[in-house]
Amino acid sequence: DLGCPLVIGLSRKSMFGQLLGLAPEDRLIPSLTAATIAALKTDVIIRTHDVAATRQALRVIHAIKSERDTICQ
């Protein structure tokens, strides 16, 4: 509703460590999950430590969204 993308930085956050008992180096999957959920909800700019993995996850999300939009027209 702001009229511009949000910037989110969820990469390897301590909340994932607290929630799942993970060390920072083991928080890739929760970080990717949070980034993809955010990308599904709204237009976002994602700040991440794991650029290649996040880019791949977001490419999948964008492909799914594009296919869904095509099918649902």
Side-chain angles (χ1 to χ4, degrees):
D1 294 342
L2 297 175
C4 61
L6 296 175
V7 177
I8 63 165
L10 297 170
S11 185
R12 300 181 185 259
K13 291 295 185 211
S14 62
M15 65 181 173
F16 300 133
Q18 293 170 358
L19 178 67
L20 302 169
L22 298 173
E25 63 271 12
D26 297 324
R27 298 178 191 164
L28 176 61
I29 293 173
S31 296
L32 294 176
T33 302
T36 55
I37 289 170
L40 283 170
K41 295 286 186 183
T42 188
D43 290 330
V44 293
I45 298 168
I46 297 173
R47 180 195 170 278
T48 183
H49 298 289
D50 304 290
V51 175
T54 303
R55 185 170 189 264
Q56 289 175 12
L58 293 176
R59 286 181 67 190
V60 171
I61 290 301
H62 288 298
I64 290 169
K65 285 173 69 173
S66 294
E67 186 66 26
R68 180 191 64 198
D69 293 344
T70 300
I71 291 171
C72 294
Q73 288 183 2

